[in-house]
């Protein structure tokens, strides 16, 4: 027997999911729907900001979906799902009371305790607000543990803006700065217009050594937003992002999410910009 | 355990003994080539080709089948989902040292993290009977460079060396010991030991080294060759067909797909071989392809073989079997790439 085989084979398949029940569902935009799930096995779920679940609809397949609710030990979790593939389109057709299958949570996630005391700068583009919301809700829930909190959010059009109830709450909060912009306004839009990097002008100067940035959005947005953050003097290790990949198994095996020698489903999806540079193929 | 000797007169008895313990797979002719196939009964012993040069597919297919069921479901789940972790006692006869090394690599890969129940169940129910091989199957093999011409320590149950009229039998495990506990096996004597030594000396002479450097430097040489143009040059000929990964004994990337039965409610969740060389391998749901360019896919595979798998498992990601070179329609050679990077330092 080779060393690796000395232990007995595991009796349980890592592919067995848990049942999760849809207890709330709300259409956020034409393409995106928000779900809240609970677990009929009453075991709850514990996760960190930035972690994701493997969602299964048997007969159709599986897809990795990031968690958008506040992290911790909870009875429920939330996801914001864009209908782009077979699984996500089928999810949109499900109703409150329906069950589906979840595996996870997977990924490294990010322990917000590690940035306690620092100023936080959240930069979310498009659907990137979904995973970013988990970070933001955590920061706002235990607001006192952090310095200044600034949230920048950019969408393509006003119709594409997600979590509008949250956005209204964030805009009202006196202990957080919130700025939103759209690339293309419509007739009713009274807010800012322009790509997300234009919002950096609104951000008050802060001590770069005591600032942590979370930049989550499409690769093109990350590339430009990171330049703004670097321009403000932030160190590469203080800029965090979430990399999107095809995380098929979640177990560091199937190879689809591999970037060089890193399995994003295990060692990611949250990476510092320093790691992203080192990976070369990251963005 | 001291080595034993099995007379070739008793080879059929040995196979019959293996058949008494479960399924037996062994190399058989497949056209002008060879393949590991099931030996259904004692009357098929004559099909076994212990003189085979190399099999088309490595024995990997027996632990990680091209298609296997992970879960079954009914009523579209998630209730009533069952894991299908299955195995049956199996002996694989005639596994060459490079393939034993590849199996040890897969053992390590599938034992990491969540530990893969499917692979490990099949592997745990398998008896490996290795077979020494004196000369490379063809000019594409570079197993000596990859330190894979001798079997890995503990990586087999029995290991046979052909000494003409008899096999010299090395025993590595309790299962091997039990298998060799029969009067068809006799203790090896001085002449047998000498025969084995002569065999290995001839083997070392036949398997010449083809890389200009020791493979301990391979991961680092690849690292400094990341931006080399050799990947681009090789990729110009590549069809992205995935043949190299299919025939590779250490490639284990897979996809997971659902198969719905005719009743449209029950079905199976299956794991199938996938390939990092296929264009869609790294495409995400939104359509972004993170390894869109052919050179980046080709380089990724070569880096997995020479660097990443070793760094993750501590075992070689390439055993120098040469299958990917032999079967490549574009004649792309990982050996050639590994040779070329020797001059890349500082380039």
């Amino acid at each position: 027997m080779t060393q690796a085989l000395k232990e007995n084979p595991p009796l349980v398949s890592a592919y067995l999911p848990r049942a999760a029940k849809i207890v709330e569902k709300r259409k956020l935009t034409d393409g995106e729907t928000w779900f809240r799930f609970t677990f009929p096995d009453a075991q709850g779920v514990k996760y960190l900001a930035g972690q994701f679940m493997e969602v299964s609809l048997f007969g159709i397949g599986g897809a990795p979906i990031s968690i958008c609710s506040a992290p911790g030990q909870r009875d429920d979790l939330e996801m914001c799902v864009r209908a782009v593939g077979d699984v996500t389109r089928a999810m949109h057709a499900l109703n409150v009371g329906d069950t589906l299958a979840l595996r996870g949570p997977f990924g490294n996630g990010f322990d917000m305790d590690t940035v306690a005391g620092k100023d936080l700068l959240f930069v979310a583009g498009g659907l990137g607000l979904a995973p970013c919301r988990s970070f933001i809700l955590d920061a706002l829930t235990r607001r006192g543990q952090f310095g200044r909190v600034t949230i920048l959010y950019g969408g393509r059009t006003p119709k594409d803006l997600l979590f509008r109830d949250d956005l209204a709450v964030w805009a009202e909060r006196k202990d957080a700065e919130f700025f939103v912009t759209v690339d293309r306004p419509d007739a009713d839009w009274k807010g800012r217009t322009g790509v997300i990097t234009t919002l950096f002008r609104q951000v008050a100067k802060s001590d770069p050594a005591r600032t942590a940035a979370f930049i989550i959005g499409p690769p093109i947005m990350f590339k430009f937003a990171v330049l703004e953050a670097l321009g403000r003097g932030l160190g590469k290790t203080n800029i965090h992002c979430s990399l999107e990949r095809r995380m098929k198994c979640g177990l560091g095996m199937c190879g689809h999410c591999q970037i060089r020698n890193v399995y994003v489903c295990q060692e990611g999806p949250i990476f510092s910009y320093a790691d992203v540079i080192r990976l070369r193929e990251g963005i | 355990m001291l080595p034993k000797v099995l007379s070739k007169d008793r080879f059929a008895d040995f196979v019959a003994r293996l058949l008494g313990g479960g399924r037996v797979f062994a190399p058989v002719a497949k056209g002008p080539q060879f393949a590991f196939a099931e030996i259904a009964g004692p009357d098929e012993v004559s099909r076994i080709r212990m003189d085979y040069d190399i099999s088309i597919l490595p024995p990997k297919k027996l632990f990680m089948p091209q298609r296997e069921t992970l879960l079954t479901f009914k009523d579209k789940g998630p209730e009533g989902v069952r894991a299908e972790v299955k195995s049956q006692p199996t002996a694989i006869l005639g596994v060459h040292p490079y393939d034993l090394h590849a199996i040890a690599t897969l053992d390590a890969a599938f034992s990491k993290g969540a530990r893969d129940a499917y692979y490990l169940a099949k592997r745990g129910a398998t008896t490996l009977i290795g077979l020494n091989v004196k000369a490379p199957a063809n000019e594409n093999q570079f197993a000596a460079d990859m330190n894979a011409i001798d079997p890995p320590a503990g990586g087999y149950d029995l290991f046979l060396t052909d000494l003409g009229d008899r096999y010299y039998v090395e025993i590595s495990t309790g299962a091997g010991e039990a298998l060799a506990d029969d009067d068809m096996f006799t203790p090896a004597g001085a002449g047998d030991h000498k025969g084995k030594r002569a065999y290995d000396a001839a083997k070392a002479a036949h398997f010449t080294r083809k890389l200009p450097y020791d493979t301990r430097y391979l991961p680092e040489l690849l690292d400094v060759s990341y931006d080399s143009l050799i990947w681009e040059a090789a990729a110009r000929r590549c069809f992205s067909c995935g043949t190299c990964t299919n025939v590779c004994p250490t490639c284990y990337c897979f996809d997971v797909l659902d198969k719905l039965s005719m009743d449209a409610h029950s079905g199976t969740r299956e794991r199938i071989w996938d390939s990092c060389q296929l264009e869609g391998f790294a495409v995400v749901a939104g359509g972004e392809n993170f390894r869109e360019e052919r050179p980046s896919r080709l380089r990724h595979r070569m880096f997995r073989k020479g660097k990443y798998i070793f760094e993750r498992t501590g075992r070689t990601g390439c055993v120098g079997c040469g299958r990917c070179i032999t079967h490549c329609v574009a004649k792309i050679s990982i050996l050639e790439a590994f040779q070329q990077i020797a001059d890349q330092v500082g380039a």
Side-chain angles (χ1 to χ4, degrees), chain A residues 23-43:
Chain A
V23 289
E24 275 188 89
K25 176 191 177 188
R26 197 179 312 141
K27 198 171 147 75
L28 297 183
T29 68
D30 283 348
E32 283 114 356
T33 299
W34 168 86
F35 296 89
R36 191 166 71 85
F37 301 95
T38 57
F39 296 91
D41 64 14
Q43 299 291 302

PDB file of all heavy atoms in Angstrom, chain A residues 23-43:
ATOM      1  N   VAL A  23     -37.514  29.557   1.386  1.00  0.00           N
ATOM      2  CA  VAL A  23     -38.522  30.147   2.270  1.00  0.00           C
ATOM      3  C   VAL A  23     -38.878  31.582   1.844  1.00  0.00           C
ATOM      4  O   VAL A  23     -39.898  32.116   2.261  1.00  0.00           O
ATOM      5  CB  VAL A  23     -38.074  30.140   3.757  1.00  0.00           C
ATOM      6  CG1 VAL A  23     -38.084  28.713   4.290  1.00  0.00           C
ATOM      7  CG2 VAL A  23     -36.702  30.761   3.929  1.00  0.00           C
ATOM      8  N   GLU A  24     -38.028  32.182   1.012  1.00  0.00           N
ATOM      9  CA  GLU A  24     -38.358  33.489   0.450  1.00  0.00           C
ATOM     10  C   GLU A  24     -37.743  33.577  -0.932  1.00  0.00           C
ATOM     11  O   GLU A  24     -36.659  33.036  -1.174  1.00  0.00           O
ATOM     12  CB  GLU A  24     -37.776  34.626   1.307  1.00  0.00           C
ATOM     13  CG  GLU A  24     -38.634  35.045   2.487  1.00  0.00           C
ATOM     14  CD  GLU A  24     -38.061  36.298   3.140  1.00  0.00           C
ATOM     15  OE1 GLU A  24     -38.426  37.410   2.712  1.00  0.00           O
ATOM     16  OE2 GLU A  24     -37.245  36.147   4.069  1.00  0.00           O
ATOM     17  N   LYS A  25     -38.426  34.272  -1.805  1.00  0.00           N
ATOM     18  CA  LYS A  25     -37.909  34.458  -3.162  1.00  0.00           C
ATOM     19  C   LYS A  25     -38.374  35.822  -3.646  1.00  0.00           C
ATOM     20  O   LYS A  25     -39.541  36.170  -3.462  1.00  0.00           O
ATOM     21  CB  LYS A  25     -38.469  33.354  -4.071  1.00  0.00           C
ATOM     22  CG  LYS A  25     -38.090  33.494  -5.536  1.00  0.00           C
ATOM     23  CD  LYS A  25     -38.879  32.541  -6.414  1.00  0.00           C
ATOM     24  CE  LYS A  25     -38.524  32.766  -7.880  1.00  0.00           C
ATOM     25  NZ  LYS A  25     -39.383  32.017  -8.793  1.00  0.00           N
ATOM     26  N   ARG A  26     -37.459  36.609  -4.192  1.00  0.00           N
ATOM     27  CA  ARG A  26     -37.850  37.922  -4.683  1.00  0.00           C
ATOM     28  C   ARG A  26     -37.065  38.244  -5.936  1.00  0.00           C
ATOM     29  O   ARG A  26     -35.851  38.069  -5.998  1.00  0.00           O
ATOM     30  CB  ARG A  26     -37.572  38.975  -3.602  1.00  0.00           C
ATOM     31  CG  ARG A  26     -38.298  40.299  -3.842  1.00  0.00           C
ATOM     32  CD  ARG A  26     -38.021  41.305  -2.729  1.00  0.00           C
ATOM     33  NE  ARG A  26     -38.190  40.735  -1.402  1.00  0.00           N
ATOM     34  CZ  ARG A  26     -37.397  41.012  -0.369  1.00  0.00           C
ATOM     35  NH1 ARG A  26     -36.376  41.836  -0.521  1.00  0.00           N
ATOM     36  NH2 ARG A  26     -37.613  40.477   0.806  1.00  0.00           N
ATOM     37  N   LYS A  27     -37.790  38.695  -6.932  1.00  0.00           N
ATOM     38  CA  LYS A  27     -37.151  39.103  -8.176  1.00  0.00           C
ATOM     39  C   LYS A  27     -36.492  40.459  -7.952  1.00  0.00           C
ATOM     40  O   LYS A  27     -37.145  41.407  -7.539  1.00  0.00           O
ATOM     41  CB  LYS A  27     -38.245  39.213  -9.238  1.00  0.00           C
ATOM     42  CG  LYS A  27     -37.792  39.208 -10.658  1.00  0.00           C
ATOM     43  CD  LYS A  27     -39.041  39.089 -11.555  1.00  0.00           C
ATOM     44  CE  LYS A  27     -38.860  39.827 -12.858  1.00  0.00           C
ATOM     45  NZ  LYS A  27     -38.002  39.187 -13.809  1.00  0.00           N
ATOM     46  N   LEU A  28     -35.193  40.559  -8.194  1.00  0.00           N
ATOM     47  CA  LEU A  28     -34.486  41.823  -7.971  1.00  0.00           C
ATOM     48  C   LEU A  28     -34.382  42.643  -9.248  1.00  0.00           C
ATOM     49  O   LEU A  28     -34.464  43.865  -9.231  1.00  0.00           O
ATOM     50  CB  LEU A  28     -33.090  41.561  -7.411  1.00  0.00           C
ATOM     51  CG  LEU A  28     -33.002  40.883  -6.038  1.00  0.00           C
ATOM     52  CD1 LEU A  28     -31.543  40.766  -5.606  1.00  0.00           C
ATOM     53  CD2 LEU A  28     -33.800  41.630  -4.971  1.00  0.00           C
ATOM     54  N   THR A  29     -34.170  41.961 -10.349  1.00  0.00           N
ATOM     55  CA  THR A  29     -34.092  42.617 -11.666  1.00  0.00           C
ATOM     56  C   THR A  29     -34.702  41.642 -12.676  1.00  0.00           C
ATOM     57  O   THR A  29     -35.141  40.554 -12.308  1.00  0.00           O
ATOM     58  CB  THR A  29     -32.632  42.884 -12.094  1.00  0.00           C
ATOM     59  OG1 THR A  29     -32.005  41.621 -12.343  1.00  0.00           O
ATOM     60  CG2 THR A  29     -31.850  43.636 -11.020  1.00  0.00           C
ATOM     61  N   ASP A  30     -34.644  42.002 -13.941  1.00  0.00           N
ATOM     62  CA  ASP A  30     -35.160  41.087 -14.967  1.00  0.00           C
ATOM     63  C   ASP A  30     -34.410  39.759 -14.951  1.00  0.00           C
ATOM     64  O   ASP A  30     -34.979  38.716 -15.226  1.00  0.00           O
ATOM     65  CB  ASP A  30     -35.030  41.718 -16.357  1.00  0.00           C
ATOM     66  CG  ASP A  30     -36.124  42.758 -16.584  1.00  0.00           C
ATOM     67  OD1 ASP A  30     -37.069  42.779 -15.760  1.00  0.00           O
ATOM     68  OD2 ASP A  30     -36.025  43.539 -17.547  1.00  0.00           O
ATOM     69  N   GLY A  31     -33.128  39.812 -14.624  1.00  0.00           N
ATOM     70  CA  GLY A  31     -32.327  38.593 -14.722  1.00  0.00           C
ATOM     71  C   GLY A  31     -31.919  37.983 -13.395  1.00  0.00           C
ATOM     72  O   GLY A  31     -31.394  36.874 -13.367  1.00  0.00           O
ATOM     73  N   GLU A  32     -32.120  38.732 -12.299  1.00  0.00           N
ATOM     74  CA  GLU A  32     -31.599  38.250 -11.017  1.00  0.00           C
ATOM     75  C   GLU A  32     -32.690  38.090  -9.971  1.00  0.00           C
ATOM     76  O   GLU A  32     -33.554  38.954  -9.825  1.00  0.00           O
ATOM     77  CB  GLU A  32     -30.513  39.209 -10.476  1.00  0.00           C
ATOM     78  CG  GLU A  32     -29.173  39.046 -11.166  1.00  0.00           C
ATOM     79  CD  GLU A  32     -28.778  40.262 -11.972  1.00  0.00           C
ATOM     80  OE1 GLU A  32     -29.586  41.207 -12.054  1.00  0.00           O
ATOM     81  OE2 GLU A  32     -27.662  40.266 -12.545  1.00  0.00           O
ATOM     82  N   THR A  33     -32.617  36.978  -9.270  1.00  0.00           N
ATOM     83  CA  THR A  33     -33.602  36.670  -8.234  1.00  0.00           C
ATOM     84  C   THR A  33     -32.881  36.350  -6.937  1.00  0.00           C
ATOM     85  O   THR A  33     -31.823  35.720  -6.946  1.00  0.00           O
ATOM     86  CB  THR A  33     -34.486  35.478  -8.672  1.00  0.00           C
ATOM     87  OG1 THR A  33     -35.180  35.849  -9.865  1.00  0.00           O
ATOM     88  CG2 THR A  33     -35.497  35.110  -7.597  1.00  0.00           C
ATOM     89  N   TRP A  34     -33.475  36.804  -5.843  1.00  0.00           N
ATOM     90  CA  TRP A  34     -32.908  36.580  -4.505  1.00  0.00           C
ATOM     91  C   TRP A  34     -33.677  35.445  -3.836  1.00  0.00           C
ATOM     92  O   TRP A  34     -34.912  35.374  -3.946  1.00  0.00           O
ATOM     93  CB  TRP A  34     -33.009  37.870  -3.704  1.00  0.00           C
ATOM     94  CG  TRP A  34     -32.738  37.763  -2.231  1.00  0.00           C
ATOM     95  CD1 TRP A  34     -31.524  37.821  -1.615  1.00  0.00           C
ATOM     96  CD2 TRP A  34     -33.705  37.619  -1.188  1.00  0.00           C
ATOM     97  NE1 TRP A  34     -31.678  37.705  -0.254  1.00  0.00           N
ATOM     98  CE2 TRP A  34     -33.003  37.580   0.038  1.00  0.00           C
ATOM     99  CE3 TRP A  34     -35.100  37.501  -1.174  1.00  0.00           C
ATOM    100  CZ2 TRP A  34     -33.652  37.439   1.272  1.00  0.00           C
ATOM    101  CZ3 TRP A  34     -35.744  37.356   0.052  1.00  0.00           C
ATOM    102  CH2 TRP A  34     -35.016  37.332   1.269  1.00  0.00           C
ATOM    103  N   PHE A  35     -32.941  34.559  -3.208  1.00  0.00           N
ATOM    104  CA  PHE A  35     -33.551  33.428  -2.499  1.00  0.00           C
ATOM    105  C   PHE A  35     -33.056  33.403  -1.061  1.00  0.00           C
ATOM    106  O   PHE A  35     -31.902  33.716  -0.781  1.00  0.00           O
ATOM    107  CB  PHE A  35     -33.139  32.098  -3.137  1.00  0.00           C
ATOM    108  CG  PHE A  35     -33.595  31.891  -4.540  1.00  0.00           C
ATOM    109  CD1 PHE A  35     -32.804  32.316  -5.608  1.00  0.00           C
ATOM    110  CD2 PHE A  35     -34.798  31.253  -4.816  1.00  0.00           C
ATOM    111  CE1 PHE A  35     -33.208  32.114  -6.914  1.00  0.00           C
ATOM    112  CE2 PHE A  35     -35.207  31.047  -6.128  1.00  0.00           C
ATOM    113  CZ  PHE A  35     -34.413  31.480  -7.178  1.00  0.00           C
ATOM    114  N   ARG A  36     -33.957  32.997  -0.155  1.00  0.00           N
ATOM    115  CA  ARG A  36     -33.509  32.660   1.199  1.00  0.00           C
ATOM    116  C   ARG A  36     -33.860  31.199   1.434  1.00  0.00           C
ATOM    117  O   ARG A  36     -34.970  30.762   1.136  1.00  0.00           O
ATOM    118  CB  ARG A  36     -34.177  33.554   2.250  1.00  0.00           C
ATOM    119  CG  ARG A  36     -33.545  33.427   3.637  1.00  0.00           C
ATOM    120  CD  ARG A  36     -33.987  34.549   4.583  1.00  0.00           C
ATOM    121  NE  ARG A  36     -35.381  34.415   4.980  1.00  0.00           N
ATOM    122  CZ  ARG A  36     -35.801  33.648   6.007  1.00  0.00           C
ATOM    123  NH1 ARG A  36     -34.932  32.963   6.714  1.00  0.00           N
ATOM    124  NH2 ARG A  36     -37.081  33.574   6.307  1.00  0.00           N
ATOM    125  N   PHE A  37     -32.878  30.454   1.941  1.00  0.00           N
ATOM    126  CA  PHE A  37     -33.052  29.021   2.160  1.00  0.00           C
ATOM    127  C   PHE A  37     -32.955  28.692   3.644  1.00  0.00           C
ATOM    128  O   PHE A  37     -32.183  29.313   4.374  1.00  0.00           O
ATOM    129  CB  PHE A  37     -31.933  28.223   1.472  1.00  0.00           C
ATOM    130  CG  PHE A  37     -31.846  28.433  -0.010  1.00  0.00           C
ATOM    131  CD1 PHE A  37     -30.969  29.365  -0.541  1.00  0.00           C
ATOM    132  CD2 PHE A  37     -32.630  27.680  -0.869  1.00  0.00           C
ATOM    133  CE1 PHE A  37     -30.880  29.559  -1.904  1.00  0.00           C
ATOM    134  CE2 PHE A  37     -32.538  27.869  -2.240  1.00  0.00           C
ATOM    135  CZ  PHE A  37     -31.661  28.809  -2.756  1.00  0.00           C
ATOM    136  N   THR A  38     -33.710  27.684   4.076  1.00  0.00           N
ATOM    137  CA  THR A  38     -33.465  27.071   5.386  1.00  0.00           C
ATOM    138  C   THR A  38     -33.223  25.579   5.146  1.00  0.00           C
ATOM    139  O   THR A  38     -33.440  25.068   4.039  1.00  0.00           O
ATOM    140  CB  THR A  38     -34.639  27.249   6.357  1.00  0.00           C
ATOM    141  OG1 THR A  38     -35.812  26.687   5.747  1.00  0.00           O
ATOM    142  CG2 THR A  38     -34.873  28.714   6.692  1.00  0.00           C
ATOM    143  N   PHE A  39     -32.789  24.924   6.212  1.00  0.00           N
ATOM    144  CA  PHE A  39     -32.415  23.515   6.071  1.00  0.00           C
ATOM    145  C   PHE A  39     -33.381  22.625   6.852  1.00  0.00           C
ATOM    146  O   PHE A  39     -33.451  22.728   8.081  1.00  0.00           O
ATOM    147  CB  PHE A  39     -30.978  23.303   6.562  1.00  0.00           C
ATOM    148  CG  PHE A  39     -29.973  24.039   5.732  1.00  0.00           C
ATOM    149  CD1 PHE A  39     -29.588  25.339   6.058  1.00  0.00           C
ATOM    150  CD2 PHE A  39     -29.434  23.456   4.603  1.00  0.00           C
ATOM    151  CE1 PHE A  39     -28.686  26.034   5.278  1.00  0.00           C
ATOM    152  CE2 PHE A  39     -28.522  24.139   3.816  1.00  0.00           C
ATOM    153  CZ  PHE A  39     -28.152  25.429   4.161  1.00  0.00           C
ATOM    154  N   PRO A  40     -34.123  21.762   6.159  1.00  0.00           N
ATOM    155  CA  PRO A  40     -35.079  20.873   6.838  1.00  0.00           C
ATOM    156  C   PRO A  40     -34.406  19.978   7.882  1.00  0.00           C
ATOM    157  O   PRO A  40     -35.062  19.546   8.831  1.00  0.00           O
ATOM    158  CB  PRO A  40     -35.659  20.037   5.695  1.00  0.00           C
ATOM    159  CG  PRO A  40     -35.471  20.867   4.475  1.00  0.00           C
ATOM    160  CD  PRO A  40     -34.209  21.640   4.695  1.00  0.00           C
ATOM    161  N   ASP A  41     -33.111  19.717   7.756  1.00  0.00           N
ATOM    162  CA  ASP A  41     -32.449  18.873   8.754  1.00  0.00           C
ATOM    163  C   ASP A  41     -32.136  19.652  10.040  1.00  0.00           C
ATOM    164  O   ASP A  41     -31.591  19.088  10.993  1.00  0.00           O
ATOM    165  CB  ASP A  41     -31.172  18.234   8.188  1.00  0.00           C
ATOM    166  CG  ASP A  41     -30.092  19.265   7.817  1.00  0.00           C
ATOM    167  OD1 ASP A  41     -30.202  20.435   8.238  1.00  0.00           O
ATOM    168  OD2 ASP A  41     -29.139  18.890   7.110  1.00  0.00           O
ATOM    169  N   ALA A  42     -32.484  20.930  10.067  1.00  0.00           N
ATOM    170  CA  ALA A  42     -32.359  21.784  11.258  1.00  0.00           C
ATOM    171  C   ALA A  42     -30.921  21.899  11.767  1.00  0.00           C
ATOM    172  O   ALA A  42     -30.696  22.276  12.912  1.00  0.00           O
ATOM    173  CB  ALA A  42     -33.284  21.301  12.382  1.00  0.00           C
ATOM    174  N   GLN A  43     -29.964  21.573  10.911  1.00  0.00           N
ATOM    175  CA  GLN A  43     -28.560  21.653  11.328  1.00  0.00           C
ATOM    176  C   GLN A  43     -27.969  23.060  11.142  1.00  0.00           C
ATOM    177  O   GLN A  43     -26.874  23.330  11.626  1.00  0.00           O
ATOM    178  CB  GLN A  43     -27.702  20.655  10.534  1.00  0.00           C
ATOM    179  CG  GLN A  43     -28.094  19.197  10.726  1.00  0.00           C
ATOM    180  CD  GLN A  43     -27.773  18.702  12.120  1.00  0.00           C
ATOM    181  OE1 GLN A  43     -26.623  18.744  12.543  1.00  0.00           O
ATOM    182  NE2 GLN A  43     -28.798  18.249  12.846  1.00  0.00           N
TER     183      GLN A  43
END
